[in-house]
């Protein structure tokens, strides 16, 4: 039966058909050797019709004459005379070297080896002195990894920086590699070692190559590093394998071999002079060597985190940061560009040459960032977005504002002791606040305790119309009232704000307690039990019906209600919406700036400021830690926004919602400032109760705060953001079975977990409270 075209074409590419498919060694015939000259004659007799003969020896002879006689200029006539005389004095059949490249079926006539090397490197002089060239030709370089490594290998070879090159890679060429690896589509599926070896042989057949086409493994690493005269003079590490990165450095350090690495981003060059510093820490001390012994057992996330530490996540380019956030979203792997790879090849060759020639090249991490050549004209990224942030509220202004009310102290009022006053405010300040900004000031004047809103600390993109602040201030009021009851007082409210924007929030006096508080008002002696828990739940457990009934019953008769979402499929959909809203927040320039501003990235930052979100409280996975490092860069976020990407931000927000017991929303009909403040009191009251029942609680309220922007036209809400929020809120309301007119105040995640080890800090009471 006649074969189809596909079958014929498939067979033509088989290994059996092409005996030279994986060959990479040229065959050299030295014409000064009688035996080899005879071998060439036999070869030609058997294969002449199948090969391509390239005899350009005359051109090479003329070039050789020119470099030996730089002062003499030969015209066309003189060149012809010189060649005629040369052929009269030499037997061309016994001159030079014929090189056969089996994979190309090319036979090329070249100068004798020494003349070939001298001519081929002549244009290196005197940037590389001939004596230096001879020194380099005695060196052995090892190169692991042939993506960036291909450019390194070819540039090293063109400059002839070595005499022997060991190359290692287990991978083959894929079509997607051709964005940065210079090769032909006819080489697809060939081993990268074969492709690189062929290219080098076509540049210089006299260079010695040693091929490790299985890559580097535990079993061949010692052989690759070498012993005695076979030992490497320099190791260039460009592989993706984290364990090989570390193990090869350990071996190199033990042998006193310098190591360099280029990352093909921002021209980053890493240099480790183990030849000069035998006790130098791996990767400049960024690798915990005691842990590295078990690297084979590390999880993928642990490896990723270490890679980010090793390359310095904060220093990689904004575009690479943005791209890394898209890996496993819209990308399969991290990107590389031919331009950066070519630059890496050039830099690696320069550094290699200098090290091998004994120049004073220090260990360290260096950058030659070509992208910075034009950023001087595009410095908008360096300008922070200016928010209309008022000056901090001072205590004298608070006092004057309180006196304007002209309040009279009730006859039954009592004055708490100095100790109790300090205790009341201190416990009130244990309340939560958005971003832990603690936007409160307290003063004591003439028997009244007044709470003020210090907008200097709370102005943010997320705190639209002070909504988040009022909930936090309401929570502080609830703490104050419950703490007063536990100390034998009752806090009497004389004033509460009733319009958005007021600095004065509430004014209290105190009287002796009468009777016992209700169940949900009895936590004043243990307010510290309320905490934000950002841990993940290991397994699903339902919220007990009795707990929900208790909350619902407490809310009966109030303007507020709680919606409990517990259906797993609906939880998953709502979690996706929450993540998408968080993505919108971080992609917004102001929202991103707020996010960075409120984060405390180190223990020292958290303990010095005693506000903001201590990232240690987020209990981040290793992968999330990498993500948080990447999203600090506002330019990377700009790229994601312009590309309409950033779905990795959704995943970062939704991972913690897995296995949660419920998402619970507190809502009411009224949208006033007073209702929002009262809602904050209920949030704290319910939160305390749930934590007391052993139920973990995490606010996921940025969604409700962002949706609040839809209630009115506002210039800070772009049409793009508004359209996205409207679409998400429609599905959100459908899931919760709520009318769009409802004031959805506060959304939380409820689950079962151990307590977090680290809690957010609070400012000293003396910073926020003054007695007059």
């Amino acid at each position: 039966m006649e074969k189809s075209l596909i079958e014929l074409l498939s067979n033509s590419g088989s290994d059996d058909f092409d005996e030279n498919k994986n060959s990479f060694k040229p065959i050299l015939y030295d014409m000064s050797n009688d035996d080899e000259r005879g071998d060439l004659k036999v070869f030609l007799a058997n294969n002449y019709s199948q090969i391509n003969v390239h005899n350009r020896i005359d051109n090479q002879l003329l070039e050789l004459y020119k470099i030996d006689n730089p002062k003499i200029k030969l015209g066309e006539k003189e060149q012809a005379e010189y060649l005629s005389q040369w052929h009269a004095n030499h037997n061309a059949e016994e001159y030079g070297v014929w090189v056969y490249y089996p994979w190309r079926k090319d036979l090329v006539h070249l100068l004798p080896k020494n003349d070939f090397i001298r001519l081929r490197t002549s244009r290196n002089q005197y940037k590389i002195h001939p004596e230096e060239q001879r020194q380099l030709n005695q060196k052995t370089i090892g190169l692991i990894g042939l993506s960036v490594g291909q450019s390194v290998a070819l540039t090293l070879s063109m400059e002839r920086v070595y005499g022997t090159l060991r190359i290692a890679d287990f991978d083959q060429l894929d079509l997607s590699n051709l964005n940065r690896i210079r090769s032909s589509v006819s080489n697809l599926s060939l081993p990268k070692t074969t492709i690189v070896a062929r290219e080098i042989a076509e540049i210089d057949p006299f260079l010695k190559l040693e091929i490790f086409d299985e890559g580097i493994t535990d079993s061949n690493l010692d052989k690759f590093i070498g012993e005695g005269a076979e030992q490497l003079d320099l190791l260039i590490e460009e592989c993706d394998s984290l364990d090989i990165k570390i193990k090869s450095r350990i071996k190199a350090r033990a042998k006193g071999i310098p190591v360099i690495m280029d990352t093909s981003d921002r021209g980053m060059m890493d240099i480790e002079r183990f030849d000069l510093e035998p006790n130098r820490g791996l990767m400049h001390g960024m690798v915990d060597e005691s842990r590295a012994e078990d690297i084979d057992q590390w999880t993928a996330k642990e490896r990723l985190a270490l890679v980010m530490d090793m390359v310095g996540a904060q220093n990689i380019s904004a575009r690479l940061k943005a791209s890394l956030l898209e890996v496993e979203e819209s990308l399969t792997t991290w990107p590389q560009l031919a331009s950066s790879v070519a630059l890496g090849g050039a830099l690696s060759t320069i550094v290699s040459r200098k090290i091998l020639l004994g120049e004073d090249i220090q260990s360290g991490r260096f950058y030659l960032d070509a992208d910075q050549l034009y950023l001087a004209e595009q410095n908008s990224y360096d300008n922070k977005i200016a928010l209309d942030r008022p000056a901090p509220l001072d205590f004298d202004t608070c006092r004057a504002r309180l006196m304007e009310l002209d309040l009279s102290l009730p006859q039954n009022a009592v004055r708490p002791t100095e100790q109790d006053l300090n205790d009341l405010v201190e416990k009130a300040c244990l309340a939560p606040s958005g971003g832990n900004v603690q936007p409160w000031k307290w003063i004591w004047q003439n028997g009244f305790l007044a709470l003020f809103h210090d907008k200097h600390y709370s102005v943010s993109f997320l705190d639209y119309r002070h909504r988040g602040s009022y909930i936090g201030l309401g929570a502080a009021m609830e703490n104050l009232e419950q703490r007063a009851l536990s100390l034998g007082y009752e806090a009497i409210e004389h004033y509460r704000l009733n319009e958005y924007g007021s600095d004065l929030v509430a004014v209290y006096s105190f009287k002796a307690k009468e009777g016992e508080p209700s169940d949900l008002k009895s936590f004043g002696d243990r307010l510290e039990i309320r905490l934000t828990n950002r841990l993940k739940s290991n397994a699903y457990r339902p919220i007990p019906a009795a707990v929900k009934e208790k909350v619902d019953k407490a809310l009966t008769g109030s303007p507020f209600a709680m919606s409990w979402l517990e259906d797993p499929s609906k939880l998953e959909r709502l979690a996706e919406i929450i993540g998408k809203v968080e993505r919108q927040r971080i992609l917004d320039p102001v929202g991103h700036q707020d996010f960075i501003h409120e984060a405390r990235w180190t223990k020292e930052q958290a303990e010095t400021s005693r506000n903001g979100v201590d990232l240690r409280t987020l209990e981040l996975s290793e992968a999330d830690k990498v993500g948080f490092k990447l999203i600090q860069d506002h330019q990377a976020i700009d790229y994601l926004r312009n590309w309409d990407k950033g779905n990795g931000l959704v995943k970062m927000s939704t991972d913690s919602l897995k296995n949660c017991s419920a998402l619970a929303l507190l809502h009411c009909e009224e949208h006033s400032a007073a209702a929002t403040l009262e809602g904050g009191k209920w949030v704290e009251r319910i939160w305390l109760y749930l934590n007391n029942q052993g139920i973990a609680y995490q606010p996921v309220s940025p969604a409700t705060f962002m949706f609040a922007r839809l209630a009115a036209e506002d210039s800070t809400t772009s049409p793009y953001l508004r359209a996205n929020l409207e679409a998400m809120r429609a599905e959100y309301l459908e899931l919760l079975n709520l009318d769009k007119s409802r004031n959805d105040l506060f959304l939380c995640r409820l689950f079962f977990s151990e307590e977090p080890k680290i809690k957010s800090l609070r400012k000293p009471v003396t910073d926020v409270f003054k007695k007059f």
Side-chain angles (χ1 to χ4, degrees):
M1 185 175 180
E2 186 177 351
K3 291 185 178 181
S4 69
L5 178 60
I6 293 296
E7 289 175 317
L8 290 169
L9 290 173
S10 298
N11 288 337
S12 69
S14 69
D15 290 346
D16 293 338
F17 182 86
D18 184 1
E19 61 182 7
N20 300 313
K21 177 176 172 57
N22 292 318
S23 64
F24 56 82
K25 292 183 178 180
I27 302 171
L28 277 64
Y29 300 97
D30 183 350
M31 294 297 94
S32 65
N33 183 294
D34 292 343
D35 291 338
E36 293 187 24
R37 194 165 59 250
D39 291 342
L40 177 60
K41 289 180 179 179
V42 173
F43 174 77
L44 287 171
N46 294 329
N47 299 282
Y48 188 79
S49 64
Q50 302 176 37
I51 64 175
N52 309 304
V53 178
H54 304 273
N55 190 357
R56 303 289 186 269
I57 197 67
D58 283 359
N59 175 270
Q60 297 167 56
L61 289 168
L62 284 171
E63 269 206 297
L64 189 62
Y65 177 84
K66 289 176 183 178
I67 69 165
D68 288 338
N69 302 275
K71 295 181 179 181
I72 298 175
K73 307 299 179 184
L74 297 180
E76 290 186 11
K77 179 181 178 182
E78 289 82 5
Q79 291 180 24
E81 289 175 352
Y82 170 76
L83 288 174
S84 177
Q85 184 178 358
W86 186 93
H87 281 286
N89 296 330
H90 298 82
N91 183 355
E93 287 193 5
E94 298 180 3
Y95 180 79
V97 178
W98 283 89
V99 182
Y100 179 62
Y101 297 99
W103 55 91
R104 295 177 62 97
K105 293 183 171 57
D106 284 350
L107 182 66
V108 185
H109 194 188
L110 300 176
L111 295 170
K113 178 179 177 179
N114 290 338
D115 285 341
F116 174 90
I117 294 172
R118 192 161 58 88
L119 177 57
R120 198 179 76 74
T121 59
S122 61
R123 295 199 182 186
N124 288 354
Q125 299 179 45
Y126 288 101
K127 296 190 78 172
I128 303 176
H129 191 277
E131 177 55 34
E132 292 175 326
Q133 195 80 63
R134 282 190 285 273
Q135 292 179 41
L136 293 171
N137 290 348
Q138 305 305 311
K139 302 297 184 181
T140 300
I141 297 176
L143 174 57
I144 305 176
L146 294 177
S147 287
V148 176
Q150 186 229 24
S151 181
V152 176
L154 295 182
T155 312
L156 287 170
S157 301
M158 284 188 282
E159 286 192 11
R160 222 172 198 278
V161 174
Y162 62 87
T164 301
L165 180 66
R166 289 182 196 140
I167 56 175
D169 200 309
F170 64 88
D171 205 2
Q172 63 184 23
L173 184 71
D174 295 325
L175 183 58
S176 61
N177 298 147
L178 294 180
N179 80 312
R180 65 193 184 280
I181 294 180
R182 188 187 69 81
S183 191
S184 164
V185 290
S186 62
N187 287 331
L188 292 176
S189 297
L190 280 181
K192 290 179 179 177
T193 49
T194 298
I195 296 168
V196 171
R198 287 179 175 180
E199 288 192 274
I200 292 173
E202 290 172 16
I203 294 169
D204 189 333
F206 302 108
L207 284 168
K208 182 180 177 182
L209 297 179
E210 296 176 1
I211 309 301
F212 287 67
D213 55 13
E214 71 277 27
I216 296 300
T217 64
D218 289 337
S219 61
N220 70 9
L221 179 55
D222 284 332
K223 182 180 179 182
F224 186 84
I225 296 293
E227 288 279 355
E230 301 298 316
Q231 181 174 299
L232 296 179
D233 295 294
L234 174 70
L235 173 62
I236 305 175
E237 185 277 299
E238 298 292 352
C239 70
D240 293 332
S241 172
L242 181 57
D243 55 340
I244 296 302
K245 281 181 179 291
I246 293 176
K247 291 175 180 178
S248 63
R249 280 172 171 78
I250 292 174
K251 293 284 187 182
R253 183 175 62 184
K255 298 280 189 178
I257 300 170
V259 179
I260 69 170
M261 175 185 73
D262 177 86
T263 61
S264 71
D265 180 69
R266 293 193 62 208
M268 192 195 96
M269 174 57 59
D270 223 56
I271 303 172
E272 296 170 278
R273 294 301 304 268
F274 296 130
D275 54 329
L276 305 179
E277 304 167 85
N279 298 316
R280 184 176 181 82
L282 300 183
M283 296 297 297
H284 318 298
M286 290 181 287
V287 174
D288 183 343
E289 297 189 35
S290 62
R291 288 192 65 217
E293 294 175 0
D294 301 320
I295 194 169
D296 292 332
Q297 283 74 52
W298 285 18
T299 66
K301 290 182 177 180
E302 288 175 325
R303 289 166 179 255
L304 176 62
L306 179 58
V307 169
M308 289 296 101
D309 285 340
M310 287 169 62
V311 302
Q314 70 278 13
N315 292 322
I316 63 178
S317 68
R319 277 187 179 264
L320 182 56
K321 290 174 186 174
S323 300
L324 287 174
L325 288 166
E326 285 299 302
V327 172
E328 296 186 355
E329 294 294 334
S330 62
L331 299 176
T332 57
T333 187
W334 61 291
Q336 292 176 291
L337 292 177
S339 53
S340 298
V341 168
L343 177 62
L347 292 176
S348 297
T349 298
I350 292 169
V351 173
S352 297
R353 170 164 34 86
K354 289 178 176 292
I355 290 175
L356 292 173
L357 290 173
E359 294 190 29
D360 185 19
I361 301 299
Q362 299 178 0
S363 296
R365 178 164 289 171
F366 306 91
Y367 294 87
L368 183 61
D369 190 352
D371 287 337
Q372 295 297 320
L373 296 177
Y374 60 80
L375 284 182
E377 300 176 4
Q378 298 184 0
N379 56 11
S380 60
Y381 289 119
D382 298 326
N383 298 328
K384 290 188 175 181
I385 299 162
L387 294 174
D388 186 14
R389 188 182 300 279
L393 194 59
D394 64 82
F395 290 115
D396 289 334
T397 300
C398 294
R399 182 186 187 192
R401 179 75 180 88
L402 175 61
M403 294 177 67
E404 289 175 3
L405 295 182
D406 194 23
L407 298 173
S408 297
L409 199 63
Q411 290 185 350
N412 62 347
V414 296
R415 178 181 179 129
T417 66
E418 293 289 316
Q419 181 179 346
D420 284 350
L421 267 177
N422 288 332
D423 179 85
L424 283 165
V425 174
E426 181 180 359
K427 294 302 190 293
C429 293
L430 292 177
S433 58
N436 192 30
V437 297
Q438 305 167 55
W440 37 65
K441 280 284 197 311
W442 302 82
I443 66 166
W444 173 262
Q445 169 80 21
N446 297 332
F448 292 101
L449 181 64
L451 169 63
F452 289 84
H453 177 199
D454 193 340
K455 302 184 187 70
H456 174 79
Y457 297 101
S458 64
V459 168
S460 70
F461 179 75
L462 203 58
D463 195 24
Y464 181 68
R465 297 188 72 192
H466 315 299
R467 181 187 183 87
S469 292
Y470 290 167
I471 290 175
L473 292 162
M477 291 166 63
E478 181 67 22
N479 274 7
L480 176 79
E481 294 172 17
Q482 293 208 29
R483 184 58 177 171
L485 290 171
S486 71
L487 295 177
Y489 307 105
E490 186 175 338
I492 307 302
E493 190 178 312
H494 291 271
Y495 168 88
R496 178 184 295 192
L497 66 80
N498 56 16
E499 61 182 22
Y500 286 103
S502 173
D503 291 336
L504 181 55
V505 177
V507 179
Y508 289 96
S509 68
F510 298 90
K511 69 175 185 177
K513 181 178 72 172
E514 299 175 2
E516 295 301 320
S518 63
D519 288 350
L520 266 62
K521 298 277 284 185
S522 60
F523 301 106
D525 59 342
R526 53 193 189 281
L527 292 169
E528 67 279 354
I529 66 169
R530 185 220 58 79
L531 55 86
T532 296
N533 192 327
R534 298 181 175 92
L535 293 171
K536 294 178 182 178
S537 178
N538 294 326
Y540 168 79
R541 281 173 55 190
I543 302 295
V547 171
K548 293 184 289 183
E549 290 171 4
K550 184 90 166 182
V551 172
D552 292 339
K553 183 177 179 181
L555 289 168
T556 301
S558 78
F560 301 93
M562 184 77 88
S563 290
W564 309 83
L565 192 67
E566 299 175 277
D567 179 277
S569 63
K570 291 185 177 181
L571 280 173
E572 187 174 342
R573 288 172 59 195
L574 186 53
E576 187 73 12
I577 293 171
I578 292 168
K580 288 179 178 178
V581 173
E582 185 67 5
R583 169 182 174 270
Q584 290 294 331
R585 173 203 176 190
I586 295 176
L587 289 183
D588 186 273
V590 184
H592 177 256
Q593 181 171 295
D594 287 344
F595 178 84
I596 299 303
H597 175 73
E598 74 182 27
R600 299 295 174 263
W601 302 92
T602 65
K603 176 183 177 182
E604 291 70 27
Q605 285 182 354
E607 292 178 347
T608 300
S609 67
R610 300 192 70 82
N611 64 7
V613 178
D614 184 344
L615 291 191
R616 295 176 302 154
T617 68
L618 300 183
E619 305 287 349
L620 298 172
S621 68
E622 294 302 321
D624 287 341
K625 288 177 184 177
V626 172
F628 270 81
K629 290 177 181 178
L630 298 177
I631 62 178
Q632 291 182 56
D633 191 321
H634 50 100
Q635 189 176 356
I637 296 300
D638 287 347
Y639 283 127
L640 289 176
R641 182 175 60 256
N642 293 335
W643 301 337
D644 195 22
K645 298 295 183 183
N647 287 323
L649 302 173
V650 177
K651 188 175 185 296
M652 288 174 62
S653 301
T654 57
D655 273 355
S656 64
L657 297 173
K658 293 175 181 177
N659 293 327
C660 80
S661 303
L663 287 168
L665 176 71
L666 183 73
H667 52 93
C668 65
E669 187 65 38
E670 191 176 336
H671 289 260
S672 67
T676 304
L677 192 69
E678 180 67 18
K681 294 181 67 177
W682 276 104
V683 166
E684 183 74 347
R685 195 174 307 164
I686 295 168
W687 196 335
L688 283 162
Y689 168 67
L690 291 172
N691 282 173
N692 190 59
Q693 297 298 309
I695 299 171
Y697 187 112
Q698 180 194 4
V700 285
S701 49
T704 64
F705 297 158
M706 291 281 281
F707 288 149
R709 290 181 162 273
L710 300 175
E713 292 294 333
D714 183 89
S715 60
T716 64
T717 307
S718 69
Y720 169 81
L721 177 58
R722 177 175 291 277
N724 277 278
L725 290 177
E726 285 176 345
M728 287 185 283
R729 188 165 192 255
E731 184 178 1
Y732 157 90
L733 293 172
E734 179 186 350
L735 288 169
L736 292 164
N737 195 27
L738 291 177
D739 186 85
K740 66 178 182 179
S741 65
R742 296 294 288 180
N743 182 1
D744 40 333
L745 281 168
F746 204 78
L747 185 64
C748 65
R749 170 177 74 112
L750 304 178
F751 59 106
F752 290 88
S753 176
E754 67 274 15
E755 286 193 8
K757 298 180 180 64
I758 300 171
K759 301 180 182 180
S760 296
L761 301 175
R762 294 294 186 272
K763 299 175 187 175
V765 172
T766 52
D767 286 2
V768 297
F769 179 41
K770 185 172 182 179
K771 296 185 284 288
F772 288 96

